[in-house]
Amino acid sequence: MRKLTVLAGVAALILAAPMAHANLLSNGGLESSTFDGPFAQLNSGAHLGAWSVDSGSVDIVNRYWQHAEGRYSLDLNGNTGGRISQSFGTVVGQLYNVSFSLAGNAEGGGSLKLLDAGVTGVHTFSFDSTGRSPSNMGWVTEGFSFVATNASSTLYFQGYSKNSAWGAALDNVSVTAAVPEPANYAMLAAGLGLMGLVARRRRARRG
């Protein structure tokens, strides 16, 4: 009986515990740069680790403002709105969560900073930079979910040209699966199988 109770407890813990998921993106924190100035412009065709600049331009920021995490973040507007993207492996039909830190360059371009982001659809996000400064960015966490339609998915972020050279700020990007990892299902199946084996042996001894 004690073995059954312990195994039942293990199974319950596996089902109830939050599942930790690895970030499917490479360089989600934008930390692959070695640039050591205030900021530098990256134009269309440039790469930042696994991220590519698809159009327009963006600024990689180092010592110009306070980051959400680490030493680097992006202004999605270099001279104008830029678009960055990264592709990663996914499972068709599986739900994924995208999370990122959002702020804005308060030095110009209006107080309302806008960006579009998406994988299978378009999501628009805004940040009010009123009262903010390079030393007080006011980073917030934003995100959305999507269901993969292909074995490879592409996440993009697009700055708005109306913000001119002072756009939305981006940092700390992650994509994680929204369901338990297959390894956790395997652990649960093994535990339940062992419980069934113990129960069958007990019934056999009684017979």
Side-chain angles (χ1 to χ4, degrees), residues 27-204:
N27 193 31
L30 307 168
E31 297 298 305
S32 68
S33 178
T34 58
F35 175 70
D36 196 33
F39 61 89
Q41 185 171 296
L42 302 175
N43 298 310
S44 178
H47 290 84
L48 182 62
W51 295 99
S52 63
V53 182
D54 301 326
S55 62
S57 60
V58 300
D59 288 334
I60 178 69
V61 179
N62 180 10
R63 292 186 279 107
Y64 184 66
W65 63 39
Q66 168 197 57
H67 309 290
E69 60 90 28
R71 298 180 56 226
Y72 298 94
S73 56
L74 282 185
D75 184 333
L76 283 172
N77 288 44
N79 288 328
T80 185
R83 175 185 170 114
I84 66 167
S85 67
Q86 182 178 154
S87 297
F88 51 95
T90 48
V91 176
V92 175
Q94 185 162 309
L95 180 68
Y96 294 88
N97 294 325
V98 177
S99 175
F100 60 94
S101 296
L102 172 66
N105 188 338
E107 302 294 283
S111 60
L112 188 64
K113 310 300 179 179
L114 298 167
L115 69 81
D116 284 342
V119 177
T120 58
V122 180
H123 307 269
T124 300
F125 298 88
S126 64
F127 180 86
D128 187 350
S129 63
T130 302
R132 299 300 179 181
S133 68
S135 61
N136 178 28
M137 292 291 286
W139 292 93
V140 296
T141 300
E142 297 282 7
F144 62 92
S145 299
F146 71 94
V147 175
T149 56
N150 291 288
S152 178
S153 297
T154 300
L155 170 66
Y156 78 89
F157 293 92
Q158 170 75 57
Y160 270 57
S161 59
K162 67 180 294 182
N163 291 137
S164 188
W166 303 271
L170 178 70
D171 200 356
N172 200 25
V173 186
S174 70
V175 176
T176 56
V179 296
E181 300 288 352
N184 289 297
Y185 284 126
M187 288 173 59
L188 177 58
L192 293 175
L194 185 56
M195 290 172 61
L197 178 61
V198 172
R200 286 194 298 272
R201 286 181 176 176
R202 289 175 62 86
R203 286 196 298 270

